[in-house]
Amino acid sequence: MTAEPGTTERLSFLDRFLTLWIFLAMALGVLIGYFFTYQVARFNELFSVGSTNVPIAIGLILMMYPPLAKVRYEGLGDVFRNWKVLGLSLLQNWIIGPILMFALAILFLRGYPEYMTGLILIGLARCIAMVIVWNELAKGDTEYAAGLVAFNSIFQVLFYSVYAYVFITVLPTWFGLEGAAVHITIGEIAKSVFIYLGIPFLAGFFTRLILVRLKGKEWYHVKFIPKISPITLAALLFTIVVMFSLKGEYIIKLPLDVVRIAIPLLIYFVVMFLVSFLMGRAAGANYKQTATLSFTAASNNFELAIAVAVAVFGIASGQAFAAVIGPLVEVPVMIGLVNVSFWLKKKLFADK
């Protein structure tokens, strides 16, 4: 992470070299997965409930708890009253994003139908988890992030099944490709949303509600929040190590397949972020709102995509492999885009 001018000296050692730690965590995870393949597979088997990997779920919940504890929930009403920002988010997440990922999938992976389907699943799963962290690192608006994530969660529960049917079963046949049947219930999606958003959201909400009443706002923001903030980065690094270890063997043994899937993903993340950033600026949103809109639009709910791919096609399927490559590409790209966000702030919001 590159800090804004004048803040570097106030960053902790972990914060200052965050990009390095993330790449080291990725490398460590891959090496563990490659040299201890059986042990990792056994670990995953023992600590999974259905398609949910418990250590990853715990890491994600802990990672999101501090940012959600910082949210001034009394201000969320203003977020939902801003129809311009909500409309932009709806357009970016539920029209532009899925169509762009679908186009990239059939353009780059039409000869690899399983990978193509996995990529489309990622594009349909709008981010409700790690975007909280990227937004936090980029100094986005925490209230807007919480509001937009909640907004996306509702749409995800209601429409993911419908989108999966249209984009995976119907639309590929229009381009001479074979469609795949995807059966995923609203209940299964709601469970995923509750695990990765509901639990940390409720924890953050009640922490603020109780401690502000007991100790006051000043103590809460000056004393308590700085104490819990390091949990986010520690949990992020832990999650990355576990996540990368699960597919470390495949990453090393099938490097060309990883690259083949990574190229359209890289294009997607960068294009979605830049387009969303420019849309936010053109709509008159301030930097914090624009950064939040951009990271919300560019990120994806890889937990849901992986869960659906595993549940429908199996853990050894090409669809599941492609879904796992999603976060492997997203994590370093989003860290890079945090730096891009600060650069764009100087260029586009110098007068703000």
Side-chain angles (χ1 to χ4, degrees):
M1 174 185 172
T2 298
E4 292 180 280
T7 65
T8 302
E9 65 276 5
R10 296 198 300 271
L11 290 175
S12 69
F13 181 71
L14 184 63
D15 288 332
R16 199 175 305 164
F17 298 99
L18 177 59
T19 303
L20 173 62
W21 307 142
I22 284 178
F23 278 103
L24 289 176
M26 290 164 57
L28 177 61
V30 169
L31 291 174
I32 290 173
Y34 182 73
F35 288 108
F36 301 96
T37 305
Y38 172 78
Q39 291 87 341
V40 168
R42 183 65 178 152
F43 175 83
N44 185 46
E45 182 182 329
L46 289 173
F47 293 95
S48 290
V49 178
S51 58
T52 301
N53 180 286
V54 175
I56 290 179
I58 292 172
L60 288 166
I61 290 167
L62 288 175
M63 182 175 69
M64 293 171 62
Y65 168 65
L68 287 171
K70 292 180 184 179
V71 173
R72 300 173 191 270
Y73 289 93
E74 63 273 17
L76 282 182
D78 295 333
V79 177
F80 289 105
R81 280 192 290 270
N82 191 333
W83 287 101
K84 182 181 288 186
V85 171
L86 287 179
L88 269 180
S89 183
L90 182 65
L91 174 65
Q92 292 163 355
N93 279 284
W94 296 100
I95 298 178
I96 297 175
I99 292 174
L100 175 61
M101 188 71 92
F102 177 82
L104 291 169
I106 64 172
L107 178 64
F108 285 91
L109 298 172
R110 63 184 301 125
Y112 303 85
E114 290 190 354
Y115 294 165
M116 182 186 75
T117 300
L119 205 69
I120 295 170
L121 283 173
I122 295 172
L124 300 181
R126 312 315 300 165
C127 196
I128 62 167
M130 293 187 78
V131 65
I132 299 287
V133 178
W134 312 137
N135 182 72
E136 175 86 356
L137 295 176
K139 310 298 182 189
D141 191 304
T142 53
E143 283 72 40
Y144 270 82
L148 293 180
V149 161
F151 189 60
N152 274 340
S153 299
I154 296 169
F155 268 78
Q156 202 146 246
V157 170
L158 295 177
F159 297 114
Y160 188 87
S161 300
V162 176
Y163 268 64
Y165 173 75
V166 172
F167 280 87
I168 295 175
T169 305
V170 177
L171 288 184
T173 62
W174 294 9
F175 297 87
L177 302 168
E178 185 177 342
V182 178
H183 303 289
I184 184 76
T185 66
I186 287 178
E188 290 171 304
I189 298 166
K191 183 181 76 170
S192 174
V193 170
F194 176 74
I195 291 172
Y196 300 116
L197 175 65
I199 293 174
F201 192 93
L202 290 172
F205 175 80
F206 283 110
T207 296
R208 178 178 171 81
L209 179 68
I210 294 169
L211 291 183
V212 165
R213 286 185 178 180
L214 291 176
K215 306 287 287 187
K217 285 185 179 182
E218 183 176 355
W219 177 90
Y220 184 79
H221 288 286
V222 175
K223 297 289 186 181
F224 179 72
I225 290 297
K227 292 290 186 184
I228 66 170
S229 292
I231 294 174
T232 293
L233 299 183
L236 172 62
L237 296 176
F238 166 78
T239 304
I240 289 170
V241 171
V242 176
M243 194 165 56
F244 276 58
S245 70
L246 295 178
K247 291 295 180 180
E249 181 187 14
Y250 293 99
I251 292 169
I252 291 177
K253 289 185 176 180
L254 300 171
L256 291 181
D257 283 22
V258 172
V259 172
R260 188 174 284 117
I261 296 166
I263 290 172
L265 281 169
L266 175 62
I267 295 171
Y268 171 84
F269 293 135
V270 173
V271 170
M272 277 300 295
F273 179 84
L274 293 177
V275 167
S276 300
F277 209 98
L278 294 175
M279 288 175 68
R281 181 67 175 88
N286 61 34
Y287 167 75
K288 286 179 173 289
Q289 295 168 353
T290 300
T292 300
L293 279 167
S294 302
F295 282 105
T296 304
S299 303
N300 290 88
N301 183 357
F302 62 80
E303 307 90 356
L304 177 59
I306 293 171
V308 172
V310 170
V312 176
F313 301 103
I315 194 166
S317 66
Q319 290 89 342
F321 179 65
V324 169
I325 299 302
L328 308 192
V329 177
E330 178 175 332
V331 169
V333 171
M334 288 300 154
I335 289 297
L337 290 176
V338 168
N339 297 316
V340 172
S341 186
F342 286 136
W343 181 80
L344 288 173
K345 179 182 181 182
K346 296 176 186 176
K347 298 294 181 182
L348 301 178
F349 293 89
D351 58 333
K352 296 288 184 179

